[in-house]
Amino acid sequence: MATVHEDVQNYYGQELQQSSDLKTDACCSKAKVPSFIKDILKKIHPEVVAKYYGCGLVFPPKLEDCRVLDLGSGSGRDVYILSSLVGEQGYVVGVDMTKEQLDVANLYIDYHTKQFGFSKGNVEFRLGKIEQLTDDSELKPNSFDVVVSNCVVNLSPDKKKVLQQVYEMLKPGGEFYFSDVYADRIIPEKLKTNKTLWGEGLSGALLKDDLIDVALEIGFTRPCLVSKHLINILNEELKQLVEDIKYASCTYRLFKNKSIDDSNIYNSKLGTLVTYQTPIIHYENEFQFNDSITFKLNGEAQYLDSDMTKMLFVSRYQNNFKFEEITDEKQISI
């Protein structure tokens, strides 16, 4: 494991100097950037933006006053965007194992505090491995509302350990919202030794079924796909190495389970009818929960099966929705 970590540290700390040095677009987000995020991006220091290597957008709704942990925060672009979204009463912690990246991030804490008009900073960056969060005495278990990660879990040699650590950090009902690289088949062992392929996120790419199995085993709700974008390999040599393997950048959300008092809603085998009735800032008209369910504000009630109901009901979004228990299978046709 030490060798993998050292290779990744070297790749992101020494070999890559800016995002244009990447040999694939795996670490380049293709997601459509909302206007309110674009406005925040204008305030992010250019050096921080230049060293961004994410593959998606990791800014879920309803972040005001939240405590957020960013795994593999790099030069801090996402941390600073999150800083603006959580507001002065919220707090964001970035963890990364590459000192060169953290040096850049730490350089601009005061800059962004002033950019956002805050009287005090609301971010910090910590040097550490994402498989060892609980080893850091400053990172308290059950203390974060949201954990995010942007194209980083694939770089870990022990992905199950990462998810276990995320589970420990989250409060009950907390959300893990992360973008990462996924492959359509098992990666051959011969590719896992290629340092460039691993650094680009391809050799360590996740499999959807593995994510689901591990998440459920640990105690999360079932991972829910939010978005998916195909990845292009720009370097011809790397393209020949991976042959027919198809890659995609996917964003998933999953929640740490918690006990619920309303047993009728939680245990309803038929599911529920759900209405988005209290708007969330920046999502006043609609709220996309996954790749197939988008709630319109005060629109028609949507049917959610028991698993989907569970996800929404344990989350911080619960109070924005009205849940109606289904007592007759005929109601499911809505």
Side-chain angles (χ1 to χ4, degrees), residues 22-176:
L22 291 164
K23 298 173 178 63
T24 74
D25 65 358
C27 294
C28 302
S29 175
K30 293 183 178 180
K32 182 179 179 180
V33 181
S35 59
F36 70 94
I37 298 294
K38 289 181 180 178
D39 290 340
I40 299 172
L41 272 169
K42 294 174 184 177
K43 299 180 180 180
I44 307 299
H45 194 279
E47 185 176 3
V48 171
V49 174
K51 293 180 178 293
Y52 166 71
Y53 306 114
C55 62
L57 293 177
V58 291
F59 315 113
K62 204 175 181 179
L63 290 174
E64 298 79 14
D65 301 338
C66 283
R67 280 181 53 83
V68 181
L69 176 63
D70 182 10
L71 305 184
S73 54
S75 63
R77 193 204 80 152
D78 286 349
V79 166
Y80 287 122
I81 293 174
L82 290 162
S83 166
S84 177
L85 293 172
V86 302
E88 195 164 3
Q89 301 307 311
Y91 201 76
V92 186
V93 180
V95 174
D96 202 281
M97 66 177 182
T98 305
K99 182 180 180 300
E100 292 87 347
Q101 289 278 74
L102 289 184
D103 286 344
V104 175
N106 279 307
L107 191 61
Y108 296 107
I109 291 178
D110 289 343
Y111 172 89
H112 292 99
T113 300
K114 294 176 181 177
Q115 283 289 307
F116 301 145
F118 296 160
S119 60
K120 60 180 180 179
N122 66 346
V123 305
E124 67 174 290
F125 296 94
R126 305 194 64 79
L127 182 66
K129 296 181 175 68
I130 61 176
E131 302 90 351
Q132 300 172 0
L133 300 174
T134 51
D135 291 349
D136 188 335
S137 61
E138 295 299 314
L139 297 177
K140 306 298 183 184
N142 302 304
S143 67
F144 290 94
D145 301 288
V146 179
V147 176
V148 302
S149 181
N150 202 338
C151 203
V152 171
V153 177
N154 68 81
L155 299 175
S156 171
D158 191 346
K159 296 165 179 58
K160 181 176 181 179
K161 183 65 173 178
V162 174
L163 264 69
Q164 289 172 330
Q165 292 289 285
V166 171
Y167 190 86
E168 290 294 320
M169 291 293 112
L170 282 170
K171 298 176 182 177
E175 180 176 18
F176 183 29

Side-chain angles (χ1 to χ4, degrees), residues 293-308:
I293 298 176
T294 297
F295 295 98
K296 303 291 185 180
L297 183 66
N298 295 318
E300 291 187 13
Q302 293 210 43
Y303 167 73
L304 296 187
D305 64 21
S306 57
D307 282 344
M308 294 295 294

